[in-house]
Amino acid sequence: MSRQAWVLVVIAGILAIATLVGAVVLAVRVVRTRRLLTGLGAGGKVAFYGALIYTIFPVDVLPDPIYLDDMGVLAAALIYLTRLVQQRRASGSQLPDQPDAQPGRGRVRRRVP
């Protein structure tokens, strides 16, 4: 093989590893939101499990060495789950992993002279 062909193979390998690492990082972030699923309703559960099944399932839109579609699905699920958590917190609903006291409440304020 020529030098240019080797350079292309190395670059393709680096890109494949980088997309794999990106997909794994997104999958870990989505899995960490699992503890909040009981408070997010059916839509949150469908987004969570659907994203994980799509990522693990061998049939994809793009072939498996290219993880861009998996990363897109995981990122979309993570964005959706984050918005659901923000909506629940804004409405005042208690999420399962949330402490009993709201941050900032119960603190004593000192008077400024």
Side-chain angles (χ1 to χ4, degrees), residues 15-102:
L15 288 175
I17 290 171
T19 57
L20 175 63
V21 168
V24 168
V25 167
L26 285 172
V28 167
R29 287 186 178 179
V30 169
V31 168
R32 285 185 181 170
T33 61
R34 181 173 50 98
R35 66 181 182 270
L36 301 173
L37 283 181
T38 56
L40 296 181
K45 291 177 185 177
V46 168
F48 173 78
Y49 290 115
L52 287 182
I53 289 170
Y54 181 82
T55 301
I56 294 170
F57 199 61
V59 178
D60 287 340
V61 174
L62 296 174
D64 265 344
I66 304 170
Y67 294 104
L68 294 177
D69 60 331
D70 297 329
M71 289 174 63
V73 169
L74 288 170
L78 190 61
I79 290 169
Y80 178 71
L81 291 172
T82 303
R83 287 186 181 165
L84 279 178
V85 168
Q86 289 173 351
Q87 287 175 356
R88 294 288 196 261
R89 286 185 180 158
S91 69
S93 299
Q94 184 81 14
L95 291 172
D97 196 40
Q98 203 174 15
D100 291 336
Q102 294 288 335

